[in-house]
Amino acid sequence: MKRLSIFTLLLGFSLVLCSCSNDDSSSGSTSSNEAEQASASASASDDTAASSDNSDTLARQLSDNLDLGEYAIDMVISGDGYDSAMPCKMTAKDGSGFVSMTVSGVYTEFYTVDGVTYMLMPDIACYEITGDEGSFSGNAFVKVSDDDVLTDTYTEDGRITEVFSSLDSDGSTETYTFVFDEEELTLISLTAETADGTTLTEINSISLSGVDIELPDLSGWQNVSDTDSVDDVTYMKLTLYYMGITEEMVEEAGYTFDEIAAMDESELNDLLSEMGVDIYG
């Protein structure tokens, strides 16, 4: 099934978001003391000046805070490459990480505990141990990179805007626009404009205080880490789940997963078409 590739896409996205090391984290906010330091730096600079030094910017201080490895963030990501806005929550503390997201109506959770990442699908009580061990680093959604150059900064309507640019591996210019609340000095949004399109990350809340992260009790859940060993019915349930088809929808259509699993490819395609799923989209 072509749509099953979303299984891989979700995992890849989680590796970007779920940073659990002290070297590089995913998201966070400035504390009051750090905010005061950032305010002093911002006040000392010209609102419209550009500089190749981003060490005293709010974005840089935010990134440094994230590198401490403890944070909580609630955000919504949208733009080119997204069928719809993607709500996402993440937190990190003591080397563990948690990410939850809803992609095209499909809700998925990722836990990184003791260096191992688990992908949970609560709606169908299935989980996968991804096999990826250790920390994950890198997050272009809410961090500024060392190579990014500050090209503009200004304050308007109670917001501080910092614009950075850099070159990708192909030599194309990338632009990242950070918008902070002037009073709270917390991140409001980040717009990334790259060769792949424009991505908007809107921040609902951020904090440098994470919460303890524990893997839920998975008793009664099915481990689908090895899809070759998964029975046909569970595999079909998993496949349809990532197409946005729930068990309730299957029952309303007058079928069971057992019946669908027994269908040949032509019958399955006809059924999915009747249910409004374009498997070639």
Side-chain angles (χ1 to χ4, degrees):
M1 291 293 176
K2 182 178 179 182
R3 281 299 187 89
L4 194 57
S5 62
I6 194 173
F7 196 81
T8 302
L9 293 177
L10 284 169
L11 174 59
F13 188 75
S14 75
L15 303 189
V16 174
L17 295 179
C18 188
S19 170
C20 306
S21 69
N22 288 332
D23 295 328
D24 190 21
S25 301
S26 299
S27 55
S29 67
T30 53
S31 65
S32 58
N33 289 337
E34 290 158 340
E36 290 172 2
Q37 295 172 6
S39 178
S41 298
S43 298
S45 64
D46 190 309
D47 284 344
T48 59
S51 171
S52 60
D53 181 13
N54 64 33
S55 60
D56 291 330
T57 62
L58 292 175
R60 178 73 267 167
Q61 294 190 32
L62 170 61
S63 299
D64 290 343
N65 288 336
L66 302 184
D67 287 342
L68 299 177
E70 182 173 346
Y71 56 82
I73 183 168
D74 182 337
M75 64 186 183
V76 178
I77 304 172
S78 60
D80 299 329
Y82 294 88
D83 292 337
S84 59
M86 185 181 75
C88 178
K89 295 181 179 181
M90 63 179 72
T91 188
K93 184 179 181 181
D94 297 333
S96 297
F98 169 79
V99 176
S100 67
M101 65 186 74
T102 301
V103 180
S104 299
V106 178
Y107 177 74
T108 310
E109 297 177 345
F110 297 86
Y111 287 83
T112 298
V113 179
D114 296 330
V116 180
T117 297
Y118 302 77
M119 180 166 70
L120 275 58
M121 296 144 274
D123 291 343
I124 56 174
C126 291
Y127 71 95
E128 177 189 10
I129 302 174
T130 70
D132 296 283
E133 299 183 357
S135 308
F136 303 121
S137 62
N139 188 347
F141 288 97
V142 291
K143 290 188 62 177
V144 62
S145 301
D146 292 337
D147 295 336
D148 293 339
V149 176
L150 179 66
T151 58
D152 196 9
T153 176
Y154 55 91
T155 301
E156 186 177 49
D157 297 330
R159 297 185 173 190
I160 299 173
T161 299
E162 296 177 347
V163 183
F164 298 83
S165 65
S166 61
L167 297 178
D168 64 13
S169 58
D170 296 328
S172 300
T173 300
E174 300 178 330
T175 302
Y176 300 94
T177 303
F178 291 77
V179 179
F180 294 86
D181 182 272
E182 183 180 12
E183 181 176 349
E184 300 293 333
L185 299 179
T186 52
L187 183 64
I188 296 175
S189 67
L190 169 59
T191 302
E193 299 172 86
T194 70
D196 295 326
T198 300
T199 300
L200 172 63
T201 302
E202 298 175 284
I203 309 300
N204 294 324
S205 64
I206 51 178
S207 172
L208 282 183
S209 298
V211 297
D212 292 333
I213 299 168
E214 295 183 1
L215 188 67
D217 182 5
L218 299 179
S219 301
W221 291 51
Q222 183 152 4
N223 186 343
V224 296
S225 301
D226 182 6
T227 55
D228 290 336
S229 64
V230 174
D231 63 84
D232 291 342
V233 174
T234 300
Y235 185 83
M236 180 57 62
K237 182 185 295 186
L238 186 64
T239 302
L240 294 180
Y241 175 69
Y242 279 103
M243 292 181 180
I245 298 178
T246 64
E247 185 169 5
E248 181 179 357
M249 294 171 64
V250 169
E251 293 175 351
E252 289 179 354
Y255 294 91
T256 66
F257 283 116
D258 295 68
E259 293 172 330
I260 296 177
M263 293 181 176
D264 60 30
E265 184 174 352
S266 177
E267 292 173 324
L268 180 58
N269 288 344
D270 289 343
L271 174 61
L272 293 177
S273 179
E274 291 175 9
M275 299 183 72
V277 177
D278 179 10
I279 62 175
Y280 303 107

